[in-house]
mmCIF file of all heavy atoms in Angstrom:
data_model
loop_
_atom_site.group_PDB
_atom_site.id
_atom_site.type_symbol
_atom_site.label_atom_id
_atom_site.label_comp_id
_atom_site.label_asym_id
_atom_site.label_seq_id
_atom_site.Cartn_x
_atom_site.Cartn_y
_atom_site.Cartn_z
ATOM 1 N N VAL A 156 105.655 112.912 102.549
ATOM 2 C CA VAL A 156 104.819 112.408 101.461
ATOM 3 C C VAL A 156 104.836 110.878 101.530
ATOM 4 O O VAL A 156 105.869 110.280 101.746
ATOM 5 C CB VAL A 156 105.307 112.905 100.112
ATOM 6 C CG1 VAL A 156 104.424 112.416 98.952
ATOM 7 C CG2 VAL A 156 105.423 114.433 100.090
ATOM 8 N N ARG A 157 103.627 110.301 101.357
ATOM 9 C CA ARG A 157 103.512 108.829 101.464
ATOM 10 C C ARG A 157 103.148 108.243 100.110
ATOM 11 O O ARG A 157 102.323 108.762 99.400
ATOM 12 C CB ARG A 157 102.449 108.488 102.514
ATOM 13 C CG ARG A 157 102.261 106.979 102.655
ATOM 14 C CD ARG A 157 101.391 106.583 103.815
ATOM 15 N NE ARG A 157 100.165 107.377 103.897
ATOM 16 C CZ ARG A 157 99.565 107.725 105.020
ATOM 17 N NH1 ARG A 157 100.084 107.335 106.187
ATOM 18 N NH2 ARG A 157 98.445 108.419 105.001
ATOM 19 N N LEU A 158 103.738 107.077 99.837
ATOM 20 C CA LEU A 158 103.430 106.291 98.639
ATOM 21 C C LEU A 158 102.638 105.082 99.126
ATOM 22 O O LEU A 158 103.190 104.212 99.811
ATOM 23 C CB LEU A 158 104.692 105.846 97.916
ATOM 24 C CG LEU A 158 104.514 104.847 96.761
ATOM 25 C CD1 LEU A 158 103.752 105.472 95.584
ATOM 26 C CD2 LEU A 158 105.863 104.372 96.257
ATOM 27 N N PRO A 159 101.354 104.992 98.807
ATOM 28 C CA PRO A 159 100.565 103.818 99.245
ATOM 29 C C PRO A 159 101.113 102.573 98.570
ATOM 30 O O PRO A 159 101.764 102.589 97.548
ATOM 31 C CB PRO A 159 99.142 104.131 98.684
ATOM 32 C CG PRO A 159 99.119 105.568 98.374
ATOM 33 C CD PRO A 159 100.524 105.964 98.038
ATOM 34 N N ASP A 160 100.841 101.423 99.187
ATOM 35 C CA ASP A 160 101.242 100.111 98.645
ATOM 36 C C ASP A 160 100.299 99.821 97.494
ATOM 37 O O ASP A 160 99.121 99.626 97.693
ATOM 38 C CB ASP A 160 101.158 99.036 99.749
ATOM 39 C CG ASP A 160 101.693 97.699 99.271
ATOM 40 O OD1 ASP A 160 102.503 97.694 98.291
ATOM 41 O OD2 ASP A 160 101.328 96.674 99.852
ATOM 42 N N GLN A 161 100.858 99.783 96.280
ATOM 43 C CA GLN A 161 100.071 99.579 95.073
ATOM 44 C C GLN A 161 100.753 98.527 94.148
ATOM 45 O O GLN A 161 101.845 98.804 93.640
ATOM 46 C CB GLN A 161 99.940 100.895 94.264
ATOM 47 C CG GLN A 161 99.321 102.015 95.138
ATOM 48 C CD GLN A 161 99.427 103.359 94.464
ATOM 49 O OE1 GLN A 161 98.590 103.726 93.648
ATOM 50 N NE2 GLN A 161 100.528 104.078 94.793
ATOM 51 N N PRO A 162 100.159 97.389 93.967
ATOM 52 C CA PRO A 162 100.782 96.335 93.194
ATOM 53 C C PRO A 162 101.218 96.804 91.768
ATOM 54 O O PRO A 162 102.198 96.300 91.263
ATOM 55 C CB PRO A 162 99.725 95.242 93.115
ATOM 56 C CG PRO A 162 98.909 95.443 94.366
ATOM 57 C CD PRO A 162 98.924 96.938 94.588
ATOM 58 N N ALA A 163 100.536 97.745 91.199
ATOM 59 C CA ALA A 163 100.877 98.189 89.856
ATOM 60 C C ALA A 163 102.292 98.865 89.815
ATOM 61 O O ALA A 163 102.883 98.983 88.763
ATOM 62 C CB ALA A 163 99.874 99.216 89.341
ATOM 63 N N TYR A 164 102.800 99.266 91.012
ATOM 64 C CA TYR A 164 104.092 99.940 91.078
ATOM 65 C C TYR A 164 105.111 99.136 91.851
ATOM 66 O O TYR A 164 106.088 99.661 92.360
ATOM 67 C CB TYR A 164 103.951 101.363 91.677
ATOM 68 C CG TYR A 164 102.932 102.152 90.865
ATOM 69 C CD1 TYR A 164 101.731 102.546 91.416
ATOM 70 C CD2 TYR A 164 103.206 102.486 89.549
ATOM 71 C CE1 TYR A 164 100.794 103.213 90.701
ATOM 72 C CE2 TYR A 164 102.263 103.175 88.784
ATOM 73 C CZ TYR A 164 101.060 103.542 89.339
ATOM 74 O OH TYR A 164 100.164 104.245 88.601
ATOM 75 N N HIS A 165 104.894 97.812 91.933
ATOM 76 C CA HIS A 165 105.802 96.919 92.631
ATOM 77 C C HIS A 165 106.989 96.517 91.711
ATOM 78 O O HIS A 165 106.872 96.546 90.463
ATOM 79 C CB HIS A 165 105.120 95.633 93.079
ATOM 80 C CG HIS A 165 104.304 95.851 94.360
ATOM 81 N ND1 HIS A 165 103.577 94.828 94.879
ATOM 82 C CD2 HIS A 165 104.098 96.928 95.145
ATOM 83 C CE1 HIS A 165 102.943 95.235 95.966
ATOM 84 N NE2 HIS A 165 103.261 96.524 96.134
ATOM 85 N N ASN A 166 108.066 96.106 92.373
ATOM 86 C CA ASN A 166 109.204 95.546 91.617
ATOM 87 C C ASN A 166 109.096 94.048 91.669
ATOM 88 O O ASN A 166 108.093 93.478 92.064
ATOM 89 C CB ASN A 166 110.550 96.080 92.211
ATOM 90 C CG ASN A 166 110.692 95.670 93.686
ATOM 91 O OD1 ASN A 166 110.047 94.749 94.215
ATOM 92 N ND2 ASN A 166 111.579 96.391 94.365
ATOM 93 N N HIS A 167 110.156 93.383 91.261
ATOM 94 C CA HIS A 167 110.174 91.915 91.211
ATOM 95 C C HIS A 167 110.163 91.255 92.559
ATOM 96 O O HIS A 167 109.984 90.022 92.688
ATOM 97 C CB HIS A 167 111.406 91.440 90.387
ATOM 98 C CG HIS A 167 112.721 91.881 90.948
ATOM 99 N ND1 HIS A 167 113.125 93.207 90.896
ATOM 100 C CD2 HIS A 167 113.680 91.158 91.563
ATOM 101 C CE1 HIS A 167 114.310 93.292 91.496
ATOM 102 N NE2 HIS A 167 114.655 92.110 91.901
ATOM 103 N N LEU A 168 110.379 92.023 93.642
ATOM 104 C CA LEU A 168 110.354 91.455 95.022
ATOM 105 C C LEU A 168 109.050 91.741 95.719
ATOM 106 O O LEU A 168 108.881 91.302 96.856
ATOM 107 C CB LEU A 168 111.508 92.063 95.797
ATOM 108 C CG LEU A 168 112.917 91.766 95.287
ATOM 109 C CD1 LEU A 168 113.963 92.521 96.065
ATOM 110 C CD2 LEU A 168 113.201 90.269 95.305
ATOM 111 N N GLY A 169 108.134 92.454 95.080
ATOM 112 C CA GLY A 169 106.853 92.777 95.685
ATOM 113 C C GLY A 169 106.764 94.007 96.476
ATOM 114 O O GLY A 169 105.791 94.316 97.116
ATOM 115 N N GLY A 170 107.849 94.860 96.437
ATOM 116 C CA GLY A 170 107.846 96.182 97.137
ATOM 117 C C GLY A 170 107.756 97.242 96.079
ATOM 118 O O GLY A 170 107.754 96.988 94.878
ATOM 119 N N PRO A 171 107.777 98.467 96.557
ATOM 120 C CA PRO A 171 107.690 99.591 95.574
ATOM 121 C C PRO A 171 108.954 99.635 94.660
ATOM 122 O O PRO A 171 110.045 99.405 95.105
ATOM 123 C CB PRO A 171 107.641 100.857 96.445
ATOM 124 C CG PRO A 171 108.101 100.408 97.794
ATOM 125 C CD PRO A 171 107.858 98.939 97.920
ATOM 126 N N HIS A 172 108.690 99.884 93.410
ATOM 127 C CA HIS A 172 109.713 99.953 92.392
ATOM 128 C C HIS A 172 110.679 101.130 92.720
ATOM 129 O O HIS A 172 110.260 102.180 93.251
ATOM 130 C CB HIS A 172 109.088 100.146 91.019
ATOM 131 C CG HIS A 172 110.016 100.079 89.889
ATOM 132 N ND1 HIS A 172 110.839 101.153 89.532
ATOM 133 C CD2 HIS A 172 110.406 99.026 89.111
ATOM 134 C CE1 HIS A 172 111.601 100.782 88.465
ATOM 135 N NE2 HIS A 172 111.334 99.504 88.200
ATOM 136 N N ALA A 173 111.939 100.976 92.390
ATOM 137 C CA ALA A 173 112.932 102.057 92.646
ATOM 138 C C ALA A 173 112.535 103.363 92.007
ATOM 139 O O ALA A 173 112.713 104.422 92.616
ATOM 140 C CB ALA A 173 114.319 101.581 92.165
ATOM 141 N N GLY A 174 111.955 103.286 90.835
ATOM 142 C CA GLY A 174 111.497 104.495 90.183
ATOM 143 C C GLY A 174 110.377 105.220 90.890
ATOM 144 O O GLY A 174 110.308 106.452 90.967
ATOM 145 N N ALA A 175 109.502 104.406 91.502
ATOM 146 C CA ALA A 175 108.384 104.986 92.275
ATOM 147 C C ALA A 175 108.944 105.638 93.550
ATOM 148 O O ALA A 175 108.536 106.724 93.957
ATOM 149 C CB ALA A 175 107.368 103.918 92.635
ATOM 150 N N MET A 176 109.986 105.006 94.157
ATOM 151 C CA MET A 176 110.578 105.595 95.384
ATOM 152 C C MET A 176 111.340 106.854 95.015
ATOM 153 O O MET A 176 111.327 107.818 95.810
ATOM 154 C CB MET A 176 111.434 104.571 96.080
ATOM 155 C CG MET A 176 110.597 103.472 96.748
ATOM 156 S SD MET A 176 111.547 102.484 97.909
ATOM 157 C CE MET A 176 112.754 101.768 96.823
ATOM 158 N N PHE A 177 111.983 106.880 93.892
ATOM 159 C CA PHE A 177 112.692 108.065 93.423
ATOM 160 C C PHE A 177 111.671 109.224 93.247
ATOM 161 O O PHE A 177 111.913 110.337 93.738
ATOM 162 C CB PHE A 177 113.419 107.856 92.114
ATOM 163 C CG PHE A 177 114.190 109.008 91.654
ATOM 164 C CD1 PHE A 177 115.555 109.102 91.850
ATOM 165 C CD2 PHE A 177 113.586 110.074 90.954
ATOM 166 C CE1 PHE A 177 116.320 110.213 91.422
ATOM 167 C CE2 PHE A 177 114.288 111.177 90.524
ATOM 168 C CZ PHE A 177 115.673 111.245 90.748
ATOM 169 N N THR A 178 110.555 108.912 92.581
ATOM 170 C CA THR A 178 109.531 109.922 92.388
ATOM 171 C C THR A 178 108.946 110.408 93.663
ATOM 172 O O THR A 178 108.659 111.614 93.849
ATOM 173 C CB THR A 178 108.452 109.427 91.405
ATOM 174 O OG1 THR A 178 109.079 109.039 90.164
ATOM 175 C CG2 THR A 178 107.357 110.441 91.172
ATOM 176 N N LEU A 179 108.725 109.503 94.611
ATOM 177 C CA LEU A 179 108.209 109.832 95.920
ATOM 178 C C LEU A 179 109.141 110.850 96.581
ATOM 179 O O LEU A 179 108.713 111.912 97.071
ATOM 180 C CB LEU A 179 108.064 108.593 96.776
ATOM 181 C CG LEU A 179 107.882 108.802 98.290
ATOM 182 C CD1 LEU A 179 106.519 109.390 98.572
ATOM 183 C CD2 LEU A 179 108.089 107.460 99.060
ATOM 184 N N ALA A 180 110.452 110.510 96.642
ATOM 185 C CA ALA A 180 111.431 111.402 97.312
ATOM 186 C C ALA A 180 111.558 112.721 96.621
ATOM 187 O O ALA A 180 111.618 113.793 97.276
ATOM 188 C CB ALA A 180 112.731 110.694 97.444
ATOM 189 N N GLU A 181 111.614 112.707 95.297
ATOM 190 C CA GLU A 181 111.758 113.969 94.530
ATOM 191 C C GLU A 181 110.494 114.828 94.729
ATOM 192 O O GLU A 181 110.601 116.063 94.843
ATOM 193 C CB GLU A 181 111.970 113.653 93.046
ATOM 194 C CG GLU A 181 112.512 114.811 92.262
ATOM 195 C CD GLU A 181 111.437 115.727 91.714
ATOM 196 O OE1 GLU A 181 110.253 115.342 91.679
ATOM 197 O OE2 GLU A 181 111.742 116.887 91.377
ATOM 198 N N SER A 182 109.382 114.216 94.830
ATOM 199 C CA SER A 182 108.124 114.972 95.085
ATOM 200 C C SER A 182 108.105 115.598 96.487
ATOM 201 O O SER A 182 107.661 116.736 96.649
ATOM 202 C CB SER A 182 106.887 114.071 94.889
ATOM 203 O OG SER A 182 106.841 113.600 93.591
ATOM 204 N N ALA A 183 108.648 114.862 97.431
ATOM 205 C CA ALA A 183 108.788 115.468 98.824
ATOM 206 C C ALA A 183 109.708 116.644 98.771
ATOM 207 O O ALA A 183 109.452 117.680 99.434
ATOM 208 C CB ALA A 183 109.252 114.407 99.791
ATOM 209 N N SER A 184 110.790 116.534 98.018
ATOM 210 C CA SER A 184 111.733 117.689 97.903
ATOM 211 C C SER A 184 111.047 118.876 97.212
ATOM 212 O O SER A 184 111.197 120.016 97.618
ATOM 213 C CB SER A 184 113.014 117.272 97.163
ATOM 214 O OG SER A 184 112.817 117.201 95.784
ATOM 215 N N GLY A 185 110.261 118.589 96.205
ATOM 216 C CA GLY A 185 109.528 119.669 95.529
ATOM 217 C C GLY A 185 108.482 120.360 96.447
ATOM 218 O O GLY A 185 108.316 121.549 96.391
ATOM 219 N N ALA A 186 107.861 119.550 97.283
ATOM 220 C CA ALA A 186 106.866 120.101 98.215
ATOM 221 C C ALA A 186 107.517 121.061 99.201
ATOM 222 O O ALA A 186 107.006 122.151 99.443
ATOM 223 C CB ALA A 186 106.139 118.969 98.989
ATOM 224 N N ILE A 187 108.713 120.689 99.768
ATOM 225 C CA ILE A 187 109.305 121.616 100.688
ATOM 226 C C ILE A 187 109.844 122.841 99.991
ATOM 227 O O ILE A 187 109.825 123.975 100.526
ATOM 228 C CB ILE A 187 110.446 120.930 101.542
ATOM 229 C CG1 ILE A 187 110.759 121.781 102.765
ATOM 230 C CG2 ILE A 187 111.660 120.622 100.709
ATOM 231 C CD1 ILE A 187 111.613 121.090 103.789
ATOM 232 N N VAL A 188 110.304 122.713 98.754
ATOM 233 C CA VAL A 188 110.776 123.860 97.978
ATOM 234 C C VAL A 188 109.621 124.865 97.752
ATOM 235 O O VAL A 188 109.756 126.050 97.921
ATOM 236 C CB VAL A 188 111.439 123.415 96.648
ATOM 237 C CG1 VAL A 188 111.664 124.624 95.715
ATOM 238 C CG2 VAL A 188 112.777 122.721 96.922
ATOM 239 N N LEU A 189 108.463 124.332 97.370
ATOM 240 C CA LEU A 189 107.299 125.187 97.131
ATOM 241 C C LEU A 189 106.862 125.836 98.439
ATOM 242 O O LEU A 189 106.493 127.023 98.484
ATOM 243 C CB LEU A 189 106.144 124.396 96.548
ATOM 244 C CG LEU A 189 106.275 124.129 95.036
ATOM 245 C CD1 LEU A 189 105.120 123.252 94.610
ATOM 246 C CD2 LEU A 189 106.352 125.384 94.235
ATOM 247 N N ALA A 190 106.907 125.094 99.542
ATOM 248 C CA ALA A 190 106.494 125.671 100.813
ATOM 249 C C ALA A 190 107.429 126.746 101.315
ATOM 250 O O ALA A 190 107.047 127.756 101.823
ATOM 251 C CB ALA A 190 106.408 124.537 101.888
#
Side-chain angles (χ1 to χ4, degrees):
V156 182
R157 180 171 46 213
L158 173 65
D160 186 20
Q161 303 168 87
Y164 304 114
H165 282 177
N166 60 19
H167 60 289
L168 298 173
H172 187 276
M176 290 192 298
F177 183 98
T178 300
L179 167 69
E181 197 274 342
S182 296
S184 77
I187 197 169
V188 168
L189 283 177

